Amino acid sequence: MYAIFAKAFPTHVRAFGTGFAVGVGRGGSVLAPILAGFLFTAGLGLPTVAIIMALGSLLAAGVLSMLKLSPEAPEAEAGEERSEIRG
């Protein structure tokens, strides 16, 4: 996942983007057992709870598949592009 983040986020926001994505994942790790407990308490069976819990992973896989990954320009080329834009 970290390799995908390296290509998905531009250099100037990479640390924030990676931290945010990891934080969302950790939040899901905290909330998932609580949600499962509520679902079991509501009388749902194991297969139903398993399917509901799998929807989070399916959603994450869908979002990852829609990322546009493009190679980052080397610093020398990026500097040339900036100077062309300015002048």
Side-chain angles (χ1 to χ4, degrees):
M1 197 164 69
Y2 291 103
I4 293 173
F5 293 153
K7 290 197 177 263
F9 294 111
T11 305
H12 64 282
V13 294
R14 189 169 295 152
F16 174 78
T18 302
F20 181 77
V22 169
V24 168
R26 288 184 180 170
S29 297
V30 170
L31 295 177
I34 297 169
L35 176 62
F38 282 128
L39 293 173
F40 283 127
T41 303
L44 297 175
L46 179 61
T48 305
V49 173
I51 290 171
I52 292 170
M53 299 307 288
L55 292 176
S57 297
L58 187 62
L59 176 68
V63 169
L64 283 175
S65 69
M66 291 188 294
L67 282 177
K68 302 221 185 277
L69 301 177
S70 60
E72 191 171 318
E75 292 298 322
E77 291 178 15
E80 291 172 7
E81 290 174 6
R82 287 187 197 116
S83 63
E84 290 173 5
I85 293 171
R86 290 182 190 153

